[in-house]
Amino acid sequence: MNSVKIKNHFLIFAIIIALWSVSLYFYNKPILYRSSEWLKITVFLTIIAIFELFYFISVIFNISLKQNKIPLIISSIFAITIIFAFFFNNEILPPQLKTFLLLLFIYSALGVAILLERSFKSSAIGHLRAVYILVSFGVFIIATTLLYVFLPIISGQKEHFWFGPIFALLFLLSSFLGYYLTKEVETRKEAERLAEEWEKLAQAKDQFLLSLQHHLRTPVTPLKGYLEMILEGTYGQMENPAIKEKLIEMKKLVDTLYSLMENLLDIQEFRIKKKVLNLESCQIKNLIQGIIEELKPEAEQKGLYLKFETFPRNAEELPMIKLDKRRIREAIWNLVDNAIKYTNRGGVTILAKIEDEKPQPSDKWAGPHPFPKRRWLKIAVSDTGIGMEKKEIDYFLQGRLFERGEEAKKLYGPGRGIGLSIAIEFIKSHGGKIWAESEGWGKGTTFWIELPV
Amino acid sequence: MTKPKILIIEDDQPTIMLFKEVFPMVGFKIEILDLGKKVIERLKEIREGKKEKPALILLDLILPDMNGIEILKEARRYPETKNLKIYAFTNYSSSEFNEKLIKEGIDKILIKAQYSLKEIIEIIKEGISK
């Protein structure tokens, strides 16, 4: 049952009820017990019965839990049976039948009570409770209408006729409530559908990335293998040194391509929390010195200095730290590489120090500190380069990745611009923090990394 | 001393060509199977004593007709092939997949693209000598 249909049902139902209430009021001015009046009443009652049926079906179809449908259907059937029971009894009802009808009503109310009880156990409590109120309200209105309005019509007693329009109005209100409820269900269903679709798409994306990883890696093995063998002279000596030089360059590029590819896939996997860190004990000093050695030629080519400082000065005091060596190296490497790239005068300084977490105020803790104090390794990569505007830093801190700074774009043209993303993701996956400080354009930038020790 | 025999399960042609060239150079005897069903057949022959046991099996996980885990399971199912040394040698890696492999008793998981030829050869030599 789609939304348009449900909407139409409620609309038509509301109109009919309104008509019914008005007509009922006017019809009962003189006591009616003639066949023409009976026909009219029968027609109206039939229409009401049909729309009540629609009403309940609409509600039932919008309940997501199957086990709740049965009590609802039963109570609906009984409510409608009561109406039909009057059709076939144009004699004045004996009191026994009244009792019987009352029992039927109690039974249908029980069905609704079961629904309520189940609704407490289900996840969609709010919605089901609302449906319960709606349905029980409907049943109540039907039953009281029967007892106080229809019964007097049949028996010719008119003192409770004024109930007719009031009950009709209440029923009208409940139908609007029903409309909004089902509308809410539609929204929920739509949201569930979208969530499901998203889940499927995400899975497809993961699968795609994994197979992409496989396919991208496959040609790397022979490519690297043959280059290695050529350079080792497996196929004979190379006479022309220029060829060898180019081949070495190609080998480096293959390695770069591979590491770029691996890092991108790593970032994806860290984001979907599929990747686990490969932790090992590591001396951060050696790691940074390795990076400096590798990037020194690049800095020297631009006439920049590349310094490494530790605080305190004695670098031996830096402790061994458990971390994923390759990834932390990649993160720092990218920060240093970026610093060199975006600096034309001066140079780049790397600073490493250990900092204790600020202790808890002593008055809060009597006796020994209950938690071991956490220590942080802080690494700063400062340059004297183009610097970053505040909004660029904000942009960067919000994790808006794969975007390069505005000035960087203007000054340095296109570049890969993913170095920072790699650094952010790898540091985050270690439970660390990364942020940037800059006094603005032209004043250099300092990137800080903080890793738990 | 007889050359150690390595059974390589691989379907990528350029990689096969490279291995065919390199491994005999460093003193390995190799045989390459490019389909899962061929491997299953081979395992059966080893069980029946028709073919010799390889010193090491390098198992690619993504094959055209089946995945490597099925092959691994098949090998570990029978006492005759239960103790074969099998290294996953692949470019496909996910933590779930790795967990499954470890559960089924893989000896080592190697990501092809992460190693240079030299390193691969060293790892194989070490594996055989153990």
Side-chain angles (χ1 to χ4, degrees), chain A residues 16-47:
Chain A
I16 295 291
I17 290 291
L19 284 174
W20 172 66
S21 70
V22 173
S23 61
L24 201 63
Y25 187 73
F26 286 111
Y27 264 118
N28 292 306
K29 285 278 157 81
I31 295 296
L32 25 109
Y33 209 34
R34 291 194 302 263
S35 60
S36 61
E37 262 79 17
W38 255 114
L39 187 68
K40 284 173 191 165
I41 289 176
T42 310
V43 168
F44 276 116
L45 288 182
T46 311
I47 293 167

mmCIF file of all heavy atoms in Angstrom, chain A residues 16-47:
data_model
loop_
_atom_site.group_PDB
_atom_site.id
_atom_site.type_symbol
_atom_site.label_atom_id
_atom_site.label_comp_id
_atom_site.label_asym_id
_atom_site.label_seq_id
_atom_site.Cartn_x
_atom_site.Cartn_y
_atom_site.Cartn_z
ATOM 1 N N ILE A 16 -16.612 11.317 4.827
ATOM 2 C CA ILE A 16 -17.794 10.491 5.104
ATOM 3 C C ILE A 16 -18.242 10.654 6.552
ATOM 4 O O ILE A 16 -19.427 10.824 6.845
ATOM 5 C CB ILE A 16 -17.472 9.004 4.819
ATOM 6 C CG1 ILE A 16 -17.187 8.803 3.335
ATOM 7 C CG2 ILE A 16 -18.600 8.094 5.296
ATOM 8 C CD1 ILE A 16 -18.385 8.959 2.435
ATOM 9 N N ILE A 17 -17.309 10.653 7.442
ATOM 10 C CA ILE A 17 -17.633 10.772 8.865
ATOM 11 C C ILE A 17 -18.308 12.113 9.136
ATOM 12 O O ILE A 17 -19.304 12.205 9.865
ATOM 13 C CB ILE A 17 -16.349 10.619 9.724
ATOM 14 C CG1 ILE A 17 -15.842 9.177 9.678
ATOM 15 C CG2 ILE A 17 -16.599 11.042 11.164
ATOM 16 C CD1 ILE A 17 -16.730 8.187 10.378
ATOM 17 N N ALA A 18 -17.761 13.141 8.506
ATOM 18 C CA ALA A 18 -18.340 14.472 8.701
ATOM 19 C C ALA A 18 -19.783 14.486 8.203
ATOM 20 O O ALA A 18 -20.698 14.975 8.881
ATOM 21 C CB ALA A 18 -17.505 15.509 7.966
ATOM 22 N N LEU A 19 -19.997 13.922 7.012
ATOM 23 C CA LEU A 19 -21.348 13.841 6.441
ATOM 24 C C LEU A 19 -22.282 13.073 7.366
ATOM 25 O O LEU A 19 -23.420 13.474 7.628
ATOM 26 C CB LEU A 19 -21.306 13.160 5.072
ATOM 27 C CG LEU A 19 -20.781 14.000 3.905
ATOM 28 C CD1 LEU A 19 -20.675 13.138 2.668
ATOM 29 C CD2 LEU A 19 -21.710 15.193 3.660
ATOM 30 N N TRP A 20 -21.739 11.974 7.869
ATOM 31 C CA TRP A 20 -22.534 11.096 8.728
ATOM 32 C C TRP A 20 -23.006 11.847 9.978
ATOM 33 O O TRP A 20 -24.160 11.797 10.372
ATOM 34 C CB TRP A 20 -21.719 9.870 9.130
ATOM 35 C CG TRP A 20 -22.376 9.014 10.155
ATOM 36 C CD1 TRP A 20 -23.519 8.290 10.003
ATOM 37 C CD2 TRP A 20 -21.948 8.811 11.501
ATOM 38 N NE1 TRP A 20 -23.841 7.627 11.143
ATOM 39 C CE2 TRP A 20 -22.887 7.935 12.092
ATOM 40 C CE3 TRP A 20 -20.870 9.262 12.256
ATOM 41 C CZ2 TRP A 20 -22.775 7.512 13.414
ATOM 42 C CZ3 TRP A 20 -20.767 8.839 13.556
ATOM 43 C CH2 TRP A 20 -21.716 7.975 14.132
ATOM 44 N N SER A 21 -22.055 12.551 10.581
ATOM 45 C CA SER A 21 -22.385 13.237 11.831
ATOM 46 C C SER A 21 -23.477 14.281 11.611
ATOM 47 O O SER A 21 -24.425 14.389 12.392
ATOM 48 C CB SER A 21 -21.130 13.876 12.420
ATOM 49 O OG SER A 21 -20.737 14.947 11.613
ATOM 50 N N VAL A 22 -23.343 15.005 10.499
ATOM 51 C CA VAL A 22 -24.338 16.046 10.210
ATOM 52 C C VAL A 22 -25.704 15.411 9.941
ATOM 53 O O VAL A 22 -26.729 15.787 10.526
ATOM 54 C CB VAL A 22 -23.880 16.914 9.011
ATOM 55 C CG1 VAL A 22 -24.982 17.884 8.598
ATOM 56 C CG2 VAL A 22 -22.610 17.669 9.386
ATOM 57 N N SER A 23 -25.713 14.400 9.085
ATOM 58 C CA SER A 23 -26.983 13.780 8.699
ATOM 59 C C SER A 23 -27.668 13.117 9.887
ATOM 60 O O SER A 23 -28.884 13.229 10.067
ATOM 61 C CB SER A 23 -26.752 12.759 7.589
ATOM 62 O OG SER A 23 -25.893 11.760 8.072
ATOM 63 N N LEU A 24 -26.824 12.481 10.706
ATOM 64 C CA LEU A 24 -27.384 11.793 11.873
ATOM 65 C C LEU A 24 -28.138 12.785 12.758
ATOM 66 O O LEU A 24 -29.232 12.514 13.251
ATOM 67 C CB LEU A 24 -26.244 11.141 12.660
ATOM 68 C CG LEU A 24 -26.631 9.997 13.579
ATOM 69 C CD1 LEU A 24 -27.213 8.841 12.783
ATOM 70 C CD2 LEU A 24 -25.436 9.540 14.382
ATOM 71 N N TYR A 25 -27.537 13.946 12.894
ATOM 72 C CA TYR A 25 -28.138 14.950 13.758
ATOM 73 C C TYR A 25 -29.499 15.387 13.220
ATOM 74 O O TYR A 25 -30.476 15.445 13.938
ATOM 75 C CB TYR A 25 -27.193 16.139 13.876
ATOM 76 C CG TYR A 25 -27.663 17.151 14.895
ATOM 77 C CD1 TYR A 25 -27.567 16.869 16.264
ATOM 78 C CD2 TYR A 25 -28.238 18.344 14.497
ATOM 79 C CE1 TYR A 25 -28.010 17.766 17.200
ATOM 80 C CE2 TYR A 25 -28.689 19.259 15.429
ATOM 81 C CZ TYR A 25 -28.574 18.964 16.780
ATOM 82 O OH TYR A 25 -29.022 19.848 17.706
ATOM 83 N N PHE A 26 -29.559 15.654 11.915
ATOM 84 C CA PHE A 26 -30.815 16.153 11.352
ATOM 85 C C PHE A 26 -31.880 15.072 11.206
ATOM 86 O O PHE A 26 -33.055 15.328 11.301
ATOM 87 C CB PHE A 26 -30.552 16.832 10.007
ATOM 88 C CG PHE A 26 -29.903 18.174 10.184
ATOM 89 C CD1 PHE A 26 -28.590 18.386 9.810
ATOM 90 C CD2 PHE A 26 -30.605 19.219 10.782
ATOM 91 C CE1 PHE A 26 -27.974 19.609 9.994
ATOM 92 C CE2 PHE A 26 -30.002 20.452 10.966
ATOM 93 C CZ PHE A 26 -28.691 20.642 10.573
ATOM 94 N N TYR A 27 -31.405 13.883 10.945
ATOM 95 C CA TYR A 27 -32.364 12.786 10.763
ATOM 96 C C TYR A 27 -33.151 12.480 12.018
ATOM 97 O O TYR A 27 -34.237 11.937 11.956
ATOM 98 C CB TYR A 27 -31.626 11.509 10.314
ATOM 99 C CG TYR A 27 -31.643 11.344 8.830
ATOM 100 C CD1 TYR A 27 -30.471 11.324 8.084
ATOM 101 C CD2 TYR A 27 -32.870 11.208 8.155
ATOM 102 C CE1 TYR A 27 -30.484 11.178 6.724
ATOM 103 C CE2 TYR A 27 -32.885 11.074 6.781
ATOM 104 C CZ TYR A 27 -31.699 11.067 6.073
ATOM 105 O OH TYR A 27 -31.726 10.917 4.732
ATOM 106 N N ASN A 28 -32.601 12.756 13.128
ATOM 107 C CA ASN A 28 -33.219 12.289 14.352
ATOM 108 C C ASN A 28 -34.164 13.290 15.011
ATOM 109 O O ASN A 28 -34.605 13.069 16.114
ATOM 110 C CB ASN A 28 -32.143 11.857 15.327
ATOM 111 C CG ASN A 28 -31.475 10.621 14.784
ATOM 112 O OD1 ASN A 28 -32.154 9.654 14.484
ATOM 113 N ND2 ASN A 28 -30.182 10.692 14.617
ATOM 114 N N LYS A 29 -34.423 14.376 14.317
ATOM 115 C CA LYS A 29 -35.389 15.329 14.852
ATOM 116 C C LYS A 29 -36.738 14.629 15.123
ATOM 117 O O LYS A 29 -37.208 14.602 16.251
ATOM 118 C CB LYS A 29 -35.528 16.536 13.912
ATOM 119 C CG LYS A 29 -34.337 17.496 14.006
ATOM 120 C CD LYS A 29 -34.493 18.435 15.198
ATOM 121 C CE LYS A 29 -33.162 18.973 15.646
ATOM 122 N NZ LYS A 29 -32.692 20.114 14.827
ATOM 123 N N PRO A 30 -37.368 14.031 14.071
ATOM 124 C CA PRO A 30 -38.488 13.166 14.409
ATOM 125 C C PRO A 30 -37.984 11.749 14.610
ATOM 126 O O PRO A 30 -36.943 11.388 14.056
ATOM 127 C CB PRO A 30 -39.365 13.236 13.159
ATOM 128 C CG PRO A 30 -38.415 13.529 12.044
ATOM 129 C CD PRO A 30 -37.175 14.113 12.615
ATOM 130 N N ILE A 31 -38.630 10.987 15.447
ATOM 131 C CA ILE A 31 -38.205 9.593 15.642
ATOM 132 C C ILE A 31 -38.417 8.831 14.344
ATOM 133 O O ILE A 31 -39.472 8.886 13.733
ATOM 134 C CB ILE A 31 -39.034 8.928 16.764
ATOM 135 C CG1 ILE A 31 -38.751 9.618 18.097
ATOM 136 C CG2 ILE A 31 -38.753 7.437 16.876
ATOM 137 C CD1 ILE A 31 -37.334 9.485 18.576
ATOM 138 N N LEU A 32 -37.350 8.158 13.899
ATOM 139 C CA LEU A 32 -37.498 7.483 12.616
ATOM 140 C C LEU A 32 -37.553 5.982 12.805
ATOM 141 O O LEU A 32 -36.724 5.371 13.438
ATOM 142 C CB LEU A 32 -36.328 7.833 11.685
ATOM 143 C CG LEU A 32 -35.022 8.243 12.302
ATOM 144 C CD1 LEU A 32 -33.994 7.181 12.131
ATOM 145 C CD2 LEU A 32 -34.613 9.548 11.677
ATOM 146 N N TYR A 33 -38.543 5.432 12.204
ATOM 147 C CA TYR A 33 -38.657 3.991 12.219
ATOM 148 C C TYR A 33 -39.348 3.541 10.948
ATOM 149 O O TYR A 33 -39.947 2.502 10.878
ATOM 150 C CB TYR A 33 -39.433 3.543 13.464
ATOM 151 C CG TYR A 33 -39.033 2.171 13.931
ATOM 152 C CD1 TYR A 33 -37.727 1.710 13.803
ATOM 153 C CD2 TYR A 33 -39.993 1.323 14.506
ATOM 154 C CE1 TYR A 33 -37.373 0.459 14.233
ATOM 155 C CE2 TYR A 33 -39.646 0.064 14.942
ATOM 156 C CZ TYR A 33 -38.327 -0.370 14.808
ATOM 157 O OH TYR A 33 -37.989 -1.611 15.241
ATOM 158 N N ARG A 34 -39.278 4.442 9.905
ATOM 159 C CA ARG A 34 -39.924 4.097 8.648
ATOM 160 C C ARG A 34 -38.902 3.493 7.696
ATOM 161 O O ARG A 34 -37.703 3.738 7.828
ATOM 162 C CB ARG A 34 -40.542 5.362 8.020
ATOM 163 C CG ARG A 34 -41.738 5.919 8.801
ATOM 164 C CD ARG A 34 -42.476 6.924 7.957
ATOM 165 N NE ARG A 34 -41.587 8.006 7.543
ATOM 166 C CZ ARG A 34 -41.517 9.182 8.179
ATOM 167 N NH1 ARG A 34 -42.259 9.415 9.246
ATOM 168 N NH2 ARG A 34 -40.724 10.127 7.732
ATOM 169 N N SER A 35 -39.414 2.781 6.693
ATOM 170 C CA SER A 35 -38.499 2.022 5.832
ATOM 171 C C SER A 35 -37.559 2.935 5.027
ATOM 172 O O SER A 35 -36.377 2.615 4.838
ATOM 173 C CB SER A 35 -39.280 1.124 4.869
ATOM 174 O OG SER A 35 -40.121 1.933 4.068
ATOM 175 N N SER A 36 -38.035 4.095 4.570
ATOM 176 C CA SER A 36 -37.165 4.998 3.792
ATOM 177 C C SER A 36 -36.010 5.497 4.663
ATOM 178 O O SER A 36 -34.855 5.552 4.215
ATOM 179 C CB SER A 36 -37.969 6.172 3.226
ATOM 180 O OG SER A 36 -38.533 6.927 4.285
ATOM 181 N N GLU A 37 -36.321 5.857 5.945
ATOM 182 C CA GLU A 37 -35.267 6.308 6.856
ATOM 183 C C GLU A 37 -34.273 5.170 7.130
ATOM 184 O O GLU A 37 -33.067 5.384 7.202
ATOM 185 C CB GLU A 37 -35.870 6.797 8.179
ATOM 186 C CG GLU A 37 -36.034 8.300 8.250
ATOM 187 C CD GLU A 37 -37.263 8.784 7.504
ATOM 188 O OE1 GLU A 37 -38.156 7.943 7.212
ATOM 189 O OE2 GLU A 37 -37.325 9.965 7.220
ATOM 190 N N TRP A 38 -34.834 4.007 7.295
ATOM 191 C CA TRP A 38 -33.988 2.847 7.564
ATOM 192 C C TRP A 38 -32.991 2.622 6.440
ATOM 193 O O TRP A 38 -31.819 2.352 6.672
ATOM 194 C CB TRP A 38 -34.837 1.581 7.740
ATOM 195 C CG TRP A 38 -34.908 1.210 9.170
ATOM 196 C CD1 TRP A 38 -36.006 1.221 9.960
ATOM 197 C CD2 TRP A 38 -33.806 0.800 9.971
ATOM 198 N NE1 TRP A 38 -35.687 0.851 11.229
ATOM 199 C CE2 TRP A 38 -34.331 0.588 11.268
ATOM 200 C CE3 TRP A 38 -32.436 0.612 9.754
ATOM 201 C CZ2 TRP A 38 -33.541 0.177 12.328
ATOM 202 C CZ3 TRP A 38 -31.654 0.203 10.801
ATOM 203 C CH2 TRP A 38 -32.207 -0.007 12.087
ATOM 204 N N LEU A 39 -33.487 2.794 5.227
ATOM 205 C CA LEU A 39 -32.627 2.591 4.065
ATOM 206 C C LEU A 39 -31.448 3.577 4.096
ATOM 207 O O LEU A 39 -30.282 3.209 3.913
ATOM 208 C CB LEU A 39 -33.440 2.789 2.785
ATOM 209 C CG LEU A 39 -32.685 2.438 1.487
ATOM 210 C CD1 LEU A 39 -32.423 0.937 1.414
ATOM 211 C CD2 LEU A 39 -33.476 2.914 0.277
ATOM 212 N N LYS A 40 -31.827 4.846 4.387
ATOM 213 C CA LYS A 40 -30.778 5.870 4.425
ATOM 214 C C LYS A 40 -29.723 5.552 5.497
ATOM 215 O O LYS A 40 -28.517 5.636 5.256
ATOM 216 C CB LYS A 40 -31.391 7.252 4.696
ATOM 217 C CG LYS A 40 -32.077 7.826 3.477
ATOM 218 C CD LYS A 40 -32.817 9.089 3.831
ATOM 219 C CE LYS A 40 -33.727 9.508 2.679
ATOM 220 N NZ LYS A 40 -34.710 10.511 3.117
ATOM 221 N N ILE A 41 -30.252 5.200 6.685
ATOM 222 C CA ILE A 41 -29.318 4.873 7.768
ATOM 223 C C ILE A 41 -28.449 3.685 7.388
ATOM 224 O O ILE A 41 -27.223 3.665 7.622
ATOM 225 C CB ILE A 41 -30.081 4.604 9.080
ATOM 226 C CG1 ILE A 41 -30.646 5.935 9.598
ATOM 227 C CG2 ILE A 41 -29.158 4.010 10.149
ATOM 228 C CD1 ILE A 41 -31.492 5.794 10.823
ATOM 229 N N THR A 42 -29.063 2.694 6.779
ATOM 230 C CA THR A 42 -28.313 1.503 6.384
ATOM 231 C C THR A 42 -27.193 1.862 5.410
ATOM 232 O O THR A 42 -26.060 1.395 5.548
ATOM 233 C CB THR A 42 -29.250 0.451 5.741
ATOM 234 O OG1 THR A 42 -30.352 0.269 6.595
ATOM 235 C CG2 THR A 42 -28.532 -0.854 5.506
ATOM 236 N N VAL A 43 -27.514 2.725 4.449
ATOM 237 C CA VAL A 43 -26.498 3.131 3.470
ATOM 238 C C VAL A 43 -25.320 3.810 4.189
ATOM 239 O O VAL A 43 -24.157 3.462 3.978
ATOM 240 C CB VAL A 43 -27.121 4.079 2.419
ATOM 241 C CG1 VAL A 43 -26.016 4.734 1.576
ATOM 242 C CG2 VAL A 43 -28.068 3.304 1.522
ATOM 243 N N PHE A 44 -25.668 4.741 5.075
ATOM 244 C CA PHE A 44 -24.596 5.435 5.799
ATOM 245 C C PHE A 44 -23.765 4.481 6.646
ATOM 246 O O PHE A 44 -22.534 4.551 6.652
ATOM 247 C CB PHE A 44 -25.181 6.539 6.691
ATOM 248 C CG PHE A 44 -25.400 7.809 5.930
ATOM 249 C CD1 PHE A 44 -26.672 8.319 5.747
ATOM 250 C CD2 PHE A 44 -24.307 8.492 5.383
ATOM 251 C CE1 PHE A 44 -26.862 9.497 5.037
ATOM 252 C CE2 PHE A 44 -24.506 9.668 4.681
ATOM 253 C CZ PHE A 44 -25.780 10.173 4.495
ATOM 254 N N LEU A 45 -24.468 3.613 7.348
ATOM 255 C CA LEU A 45 -23.754 2.669 8.214
ATOM 256 C C LEU A 45 -22.849 1.750 7.399
ATOM 257 O O LEU A 45 -21.736 1.416 7.817
ATOM 258 C CB LEU A 45 -24.739 1.852 9.049
ATOM 259 C CG LEU A 45 -25.447 2.603 10.169
ATOM 260 C CD1 LEU A 45 -26.361 1.659 10.942
ATOM 261 C CD2 LEU A 45 -24.462 3.254 11.112
ATOM 262 N N THR A 46 -23.331 1.352 6.215
ATOM 263 C CA THR A 46 -22.522 0.487 5.357
ATOM 264 C C THR A 46 -21.239 1.212 4.950
ATOM 265 O O THR A 46 -20.135 0.668 5.022
ATOM 266 C CB THR A 46 -23.308 0.086 4.091
ATOM 267 O OG1 THR A 46 -24.573 -0.376 4.488
ATOM 268 C CG2 THR A 46 -22.570 -0.966 3.293
ATOM 269 N N ILE A 47 -21.447 2.459 4.533
ATOM 270 C CA ILE A 47 -20.268 3.241 4.106
ATOM 271 C C ILE A 47 -19.278 3.387 5.263
ATOM 272 O O ILE A 47 -18.063 3.190 5.093
ATOM 273 C CB ILE A 47 -20.704 4.621 3.585
ATOM 274 C CG1 ILE A 47 -21.494 4.433 2.281
ATOM 275 C CG2 ILE A 47 -19.504 5.521 3.337
ATOM 276 C CD1 ILE A 47 -22.230 5.653 1.820
#
